Amino acid sequence: MKQVLILLFSLMVTSCLLAQPPQKWTSSQIYEAVQKLNFLGSVLYVAAHPDDENTRLIAYMSNHIKARTAYLSLTRGSGGQNLIGPEISALLGVIRTQELLAARRVDGGEQFFSRAKDFGYSKHPDETHNIWDKDSVLADVVWTIRNFKPDVIINRFDHRTPGRTHGHHTSSAMLSLEAFEKSNDPNSYSYQLNSTEIWQPKRIFFNTSWWFYGSQKKFKKADKSNMLHFDVGVYYPQKGLSNNELAAIASSQHLCQGFGRLTTRGTQKEYVEFLKGDPPKNNDIFDGIDTTWNRLKGGNSIATILKEVENNFNFKDPSIHLPQLIAAYKHIENLENKHWKNIKKTQILKIIEACAGLYLEATTPNPTATPNTKIKLHIEALNRSNAAITLTSITSQIDGMTFDKTLVLPFNQKQSFSEQITLKNIDYSTPYWLSKKGTLGMYKVEHMDWIGQPETPRPVQVDFDLIINGTPITISKHAVYRYSEPDKGEMYKPFEIIPEVSVSMSNKVYIFEDGQPKDIEVTIKASGSAISGFVSMEHPKGWRIYPEKQKVEITNKGDEKKLIFTIIPPENQSEGYLKPMILVHGKTYSKELVDINYAHIPFQTVLLHSTSKVVRLDIKKRGKNIAYIEGAGDTVAQSLENIGYHITTILPENISEETLAGFDAVVLGIRAYNIIEDLKFKQKYLFDFVANGGNMIVQYNKNKGLKTTTLAPYELRLSKDRVTDENAKVRILEPSHELLNYPNKITNKDFEGWTQERGLYFPDKWGKEFTPLLAFSDKGEKAKKGSLLVAKYGKGHYIYTGLSFFREFPAGVSGAYRLFANMLSMGKKDTIINKKTPH
C-alpha cells in the first residue's frame, strides 16, 4: 500500500498544475514523455458531469496508445451532493472541478468544460436543452473541438435513448454528435474563427457496455460487428501498475461523491461503437490517421532525431540526449502547423527541463496580495546536468519588467535572488465562471478564450530566458507560495490576488419567526494594511437597519473586525436580501472571500457576492430540543437553529437510550443510512425513542448502498423515484392530517419558490401504518406519493421524507421551514414538553 501511495504521489506531480509541487520526473517518466512526443494523435472524450468519464479508457488512450487525450465535461457538477463537507452549488462545482483535474493528473488526460450548469437531475434532454440554452452549449462543444482538434471523439452516453437516463447524459451525446458536423462548417459559429479554425474529426464513437444493454447476457449476444474493443487491463512495468489500477486511482479522486474505490487489475475489455465519419477497417481507433511526425510538413527531420532518442533512451543519464532534444526543438519552432507546433513545443520544453535536471521557481513571501501593490519574487535556478546553461534574464508577464542576469548555472550550484514587481492591471483570483451572474442553466463568461478552460489563468508568471548549449530557450513558471508546516513538511499554495478588504455575514439565511429584531454579525477582513472606511447595509424595502453605517478601522493585513447590525423585520411576511458594503479609499467592496481547503485538491480561493437572504416568516413551533445525526454534508441542523431550535449533534456511536432522553425529536441527515455503518446497530434505540413519545425524522437516502434495510419500524422500500421539477403541482392527499395543519396550516403556497427539485429517492412501497401526505409528478409521469410518509409508532411518530429540505433551507424557502416545523411538532399539540434536559 505504501508503494502505491508513493507512486500515486509521483504520478500526481508529473503534470503541471497550479500550486502543486514542482515537477520532478523520473527517467521512466521522461521516457514516457518522449514516447508521447512521438505520437501525433488525439482523442476527445465527451460526457456531462464529473465522474461520468471512463477513466479506464482515458488512461488507456493516454498511457498505452500515447495519444493526447482530454475529457470534455459539459458541467462542473454543482447540482449534486457533497459527502466530505458543507459546500453545495457553486462551491461544490469548484471542488468537483479540482477533483477532475486531480483525476487527470493520475490518468494523463487534459480537462475541458462548457458553460452549462449542473442544475440537478433532468429526466429528458428537451428539459435540459431548454434550461441550458442548447445553442450556447453546442457552441462550446464546437469551440472545444476546433481548439483541441481531436482525430477521434468518444461519447460516454447514447444519443439514441432520450428519456431513458439522465437528460444531461443524453444531451452530452446529442450535442457531441451535432458538433461533429458543425465544427467543420465555417458558417456555424463563424465568430469563433477569429480565434481558431474549422476542424473535422475523423470519426466519432459511443463507449458502450453491457450496462446499456440491460445485462451482461444481452451484451454477450449483441452484434459487435460495428464495435472496436480494447483490453484496458494492460500492465505498465515502468509504473508498476496496470491500466485499470491507474484508472481506479483516478476515479478515487472524486471524493466528494464517495468514489473512493478498490483498484482492479487483469484483462478487462472496453467497447466503442462506430457512429459517424470514416469507419475504421480494423480494430484500431486511429486506423487511416497518420499519428507520426510525417503528418506535418517538415516533420521527417524531427522524427529522425526523436525516434533515435526513444529507441536508445539512456535511463541512467537522460541529459545525454539534450543536444538531440535541442536540435528537435529548433525544428519544431519552424513548423508551419501552428496547432501541433504549440503542443509539441510545450511537450519538448518539459522534457528538456527534466533531462537537464533544471529547477526553476518563483515564490512569493505571502500567499496573497492586492492589486497595484509591489511584491518581491524569490527566484531559484539550479542546473543538475553537465549541459552549458546560462540564465540571461527573467521577465514578469504582469508588468513587463525584464531583469537582465547573465548568470551561468554551474552543475548543481543553486543561484537565487529576489526582484520586485508591481501587480498592476490585474484581476482578482477567483473561478472565472463565477465572476458574473449567470442563469439557472448557464454560466456567464466574458473572456471567450477562457471558455472551456478548467481554471482561471494565473496572471503572475515569470519567463526564465535561458541559453542551453548555445540555443535560446524560454521556460515559464507561475509564481507560487511555498511554506512548511511542522506536521506536514513542505507545502505549496497558489499565489492569489484578492481585494483590499472583504466582507461576510455569519449566515446565508436569517429567519425571523416573529417581529422581534435580530443582531447580525458582519465580519470585515483586511487583505491590505491601514484599512479605514465605513460599512453600510443594503436591505429590502420595509426592513430597517440600525445603525445605518458604522466606521471600521483595521491596522494590520490579515486582521478581522466584527460589527453588529440590528435588523428589524416588517410586521408581515416578507423576504429579500442583505448586502454589506464597505467604502474604503473611495472604492466600494462587497465580496466575500471563501477558502476551500481539502488535502486531495489544491487550496482554492473563491470570491462570491456577499449576500444573505432575510425572511420574515409566519411560523409556529412546538418542541425545542432536537437531536441531529449528521449525514452527508447538509446544513439542515444550522438551518433549524436559525429558527430557534436547540440542536445537539449526536455521534452515531453514542446513540443510546440515555443520550436520546429529553429530546423532542431526532433528525437524521441526508444519506445517513448510506454512509454510517453504526446506524444498523442503533435502530433499536431510535425506535424505542419513538415508541416512548419522540419524533424521528429520516431525510432522503439512496436506495442502493444502504447500511441496513430496516430503515423504519414498519415496511419501507426506497426507490429511484424523484420529481425534478421544482415547480411541479402539489396535491395534498390528507388535508385534515395533523402534520399539515399544526401548528402551521400548510397549503400549496408553501411549495412556491422551491429550488432545483421537489425531492428524490422516494419510497415506492410502504406498510399500511404509513400515511402518504403529498403527491406530485414530473411532466408526463404518474404521481409520486412517497415524498412524505408519517406513521404512529407507540406514543411517537416516525416520518420519512425525500423532500429536498437540504436544498430549500439554504435558499430560504419559507414553506420548507414551516413544513419541517410541523414535522418536529407532531403529537405535541396538547402535551407539556421539555421536562428533561438532554444529555
Side-chain angles (χ1 to χ4, degrees), residues 198-210:
I198 59 172
W199 178 255
Q200 181 58 62
K202 188 79 167 177
R203 54 185 66 106
I204 185 169
F205 295 90
F206 159 45
N207 182 197
T208 190
S209 70
W210 68 265

Side-chain angles (χ1 to χ4, degrees), residues 145 150-153 179-180 183-184 199-204 277-278:
I145 292 172
D151 297 305
V152 175
I153 295 175
F180 179 82
S183 60
N184 196 40
W199 178 255
Q200 181 58 62
K202 188 79 167 177
R203 54 185 66 106
I204 185 169
D278 184 11

